[in-house]
Amino acid sequence: MLVVGLGNPGVEFANTRHNVGADVVAELAVRHGGRLKAEKGLFATACEVRINDRRVLLAVPVTFMNDSGQAVAPLVRRAGDGALLVVVHDELDLPPGRIKIKSGGGNAGHNGLKSIDSHLHTNQYERVRIGIGKPPGRQSGADFVLKRPGAAERAVLAEAINTAADAVEVMVEQGVDASMGRFNGAP
């Protein structure tokens, strides 16, 4: 299994709404004794961990979100034929903190997913979507996702990051359908 958490590189983007996917992968690395580090030939930091005796490659692209596919395509090759790809990302169409597992489908305007679809020539991969909600008023989506949330929202997103990591662990241990059944109905 290959689990990729989307985000933007650099300290100026740390803890922004757009980086919650990368935060989930970092949490999984900590939980399972891994350390994300740069690897030659990959546009990502990565590490291999064992979750319930299953090999899982964790990765965070070091490309900007809109170029995520440049990192994901070589990661898919490294993970090997038949490896399940799981992409963890922020989702404007879900309320803050809501987690939803999805198999394949459209990208809902998410530029990171558009890039992955383009580089892989498919949209058939698993997604762990983390709700960040819609921007208030007339604020643009781009401005909204690149801002750090206030303390109350950050607490909600921190809980969602942990829950999303739990959802990935259930995927590894029991499969995608079990993860959907457990997490898609949660508030």
Side-chain angles (χ1 to χ4, degrees):
M1 179 180 282
L2 167 61
V3 181
V4 178
L6 300 187
N8 280 313
V11 294
E12 65 269 28
F13 299 108
N15 301 314
T16 61
R17 293 176 182 94
H18 222 18
N19 278 35
V20 294
D23 294 342
V24 169
V25 168
E27 171 64 21
L28 286 164
V30 168
R31 286 185 186 186
H32 298 283
R35 192 174 131 252
L36 294 166
K37 59 185 178 186
E39 290 197 25
K40 195 171 192 154
L42 297 179
F43 299 106
T45 58
C47 67
E48 192 172 297
V49 298
R50 290 255 186 230
I51 299 176
N52 197 30
D53 280 335
R54 292 194 174 103
R55 178 181 147 294
V56 179
L57 178 59
L58 301 174
V60 174
V62 294
T63 59
F64 284 96
M65 179 70 77
N66 295 357
D67 296 322
S68 295
Q70 289 178 349
V72 174
L75 285 163
V76 166
R77 285 191 294 278
R78 181 178 182 265
D81 287 339
L84 183 68
L85 171 61
V86 178
V87 176
V88 187
H89 64 90
D90 60 304
E91 180 64 58
L92 288 166
D93 291 333
L94 292 174
R98 175 90 191 272
I99 306 297
K100 188 159 185 182
I101 314 303
K102 180 179 178 188
S103 288
N107 57 46
H110 193 290
N111 289 328
L113 297 180
K114 284 181 187 177
S115 177
I116 293 169
D117 294 353
S118 172
H119 281 82
L120 296 182
H121 307 291
T122 184
N123 62 5
Q124 297 305 305
Y125 48 88
E126 309 307 320
R127 297 113 191 266
V128 177
R129 302 162 61 210
I130 303 169
I132 60 170
K134 298 259 188 215
R138 294 181 180 235
Q139 184 179 21
S140 76
D143 288 340
F144 179 71
V145 300
L146 295 175
K147 287 200 165 117
R148 289 179 179 86
E153 185 183 348
R154 187 69 200 157
V156 168
L157 291 178
E159 186 175 327
I161 288 164
N162 282 316
T163 302
D166 295 343
V168 171
E169 290 170 339
V170 170
M171 261 189 216
V172 172
E173 296 169 6
Q174 300 172 27
V176 175
D177 290 341
S179 190
M180 283 182 181
R182 181 167 167 193
F183 295 95
N184 282 0

